[in-house]
Amino acid sequence: MRGEVRGYRLRPGAILRNVNLSREQLTLVKLNQADLSMADLRGTILNRANLSQANLTLAYLDGAMLIGANLFHAILVKASLQRANLRDAILSGAQLVEARLTDAMLHGCQLDQANLEKADLERADLGGTNLQGANLSRTCLHFANLSYANLNGANLNNAELSGTNLLGASLEGAHLNGANTLANLAGSNLERANLAGANLSDAQLSRAVLASANLEGANLSGTNLYRADLRGANLTGATLEGANLEGANLEGALLKDTDFLWSNLSQATGDAMRREDLWDWQELEIL
């Protein structure tokens, strides 16, 4: 790797504010702790580059290649990474507040403990990504791919999840208060997840694990919960109108003031299923 490009010396800790290094070949470059704020790196090849703890605030990385790059604890606040390829990159603890990552490739990335608050990840590919403990509050994840991602302990409060693919994802202990979703969560692990007040209407949650999850006041109307594991879940005040709970396990679930109107509870199990008041709606006269 050349030590000087376009007259700029490229080394750890370098001050490179506002530089234009667009479309350069910078594979394996060592720019850890460098100041690249507002730099133009559009289309730049930075595969396996060391950018750990670098300052990339307001930098332009649209279409950049960052495959396997090290961005550990990097600052990417309000950076633009649209259509960037960050496959297998290390972004643990990175600051990505309000970053633009639409259509970005983040498959297999390490984003544990990263701060993605209010980031735009619409249509981004985060399949198999490690987002354990990440902050995704108020993040836009419309039509993003999060299949088989690790979201254990992640903060998804008020996140936009419509059309998001969370097939097989693990959200154990995650927080989704007020999240708005029309998502595919089939087979996902949401054990002990905090989903209080979440809008999960018409979501796909078939065979999902929701044991001991907090769904108090959640909107699950029209949701597919076929054979879902809801053991010990808190469904107090939740709305399950028209939901499919066929074969669901509700053993030990809290069902105070839960609305099951027109829901399918056939073959659902649990002591609560023997409560007559759950079936009162079936006796209503159809006029």
Side-chain angles (χ1 to χ4, degrees):
M1 175 63 225
R2 292 171 293 165
E4 188 171 311
V5 176
R6 298 187 190 180
Y8 302 113
R9 292 190 65 188
L10 306 183
R11 65 182 188 277
I15 306 299
L16 298 163
R17 299 189 196 101
N18 294 298
V19 299
N20 184 352
L21 293 168
S22 60
R23 304 190 186 283
E24 284 288 345
Q25 166 59 262
L26 300 176
T27 297
L28 294 171
V29 70
K30 294 180 180 179
L31 285 167
N32 43 303
Q33 299 182 326
D35 185 352
L36 288 152
S37 53
M38 294 178 283
D40 186 350
L41 295 160
R42 285 175 286 193
T44 302
I45 299 174
L46 289 152
N47 295 335
R48 301 190 302 284
N50 185 351
L51 291 156
S52 61
Q53 298 181 304
N55 183 3
L56 288 147
T57 301
L58 292 167
Y60 297 95
L61 290 137
D62 303 307
M65 299 290 289
L66 290 141
I67 299 170
N70 182 357
L71 288 144
F72 177 81
H73 278 259
I75 301 171
L76 291 140
V77 175
K78 294 185 178 180
S80 184
L81 294 123
Q82 297 177 91
R83 301 175 305 283
N85 189 340
L86 292 123
R87 180 184 285 271
D88 299 324
I90 299 170
L91 288 144
S92 303
Q95 292 293 321
L96 289 145
V97 177
E98 294 186 46
R100 296 186 298 278
L101 289 143
T102 52
D103 298 298
M105 167 56 72
L106 293 149
H107 195 96
C109 275
Q110 297 297 318
L111 277 156
D112 50 298
Q113 307 299 324
N115 187 357
L116 289 141
E117 184 174 2
K118 296 172 72 174
D120 187 353
L121 286 150
E122 186 168 0
R123 297 183 305 276
D125 187 351
L126 292 134
T129 297
N130 179 12
L131 285 149
Q132 186 166 354
N135 182 9
L136 291 149
S137 62
R138 293 182 287 176
T139 297
C140 176
L141 289 155
H142 289 314
F143 301 103
N145 176 28
L146 281 154
S147 58
Y148 301 100
N150 178 1
L151 287 148
N152 294 342
N155 179 1
L156 287 145
N157 291 341
N158 300 302
E160 292 292 333
L161 295 162
S162 60
T164 306
N165 181 9
L166 284 147
L167 178 68
S170 180
L171 291 102
E172 187 172 332
H175 297 266
L176 286 94
N177 302 53
N180 186 16
T181 177
L182 181 63
N184 180 7
L185 287 146
S188 58
N189 178 10
L190 289 145
E191 186 174 356
R192 298 196 305 278
N194 186 352
L195 295 145
N199 181 5
L200 293 159
S201 58
D202 297 312
Q204 292 294 323
L205 281 157
S206 59
R207 301 182 187 276
V209 178
L210 288 148
S212 300
N214 183 7
L215 289 151
E216 185 172 0
N219 182 3
L220 292 152
S221 55
T223 299
N224 183 8
L225 287 152
Y226 174 79
R227 293 193 179 278
D229 182 357
L230 288 151
R231 289 174 298 168
N234 182 3
L235 288 155
T236 302
T239 301
L240 288 120
E241 187 173 339
N244 179 19
L245 287 139
E246 183 182 351
N249 188 344
L250 287 144
E251 189 71 44
L254 300 178
L255 302 172
K256 183 180 180 181
D257 298 323
T258 305
D259 182 3
F260 285 100
L261 185 66
W262 311 123
S263 60
N264 178 7
L265 288 155
S266 63
Q267 298 179 25
T269 59
D271 292 339
M273 293 301 96
R274 291 190 283 276
R275 276 175 37 193
E276 291 182 3
D277 57 311
L278 292 182
W279 307 93
D280 286 349
W281 64 267
Q282 292 187 343
E283 298 172 7
L284 294 174
E285 182 179 355
I286 308 299
L287 300 178

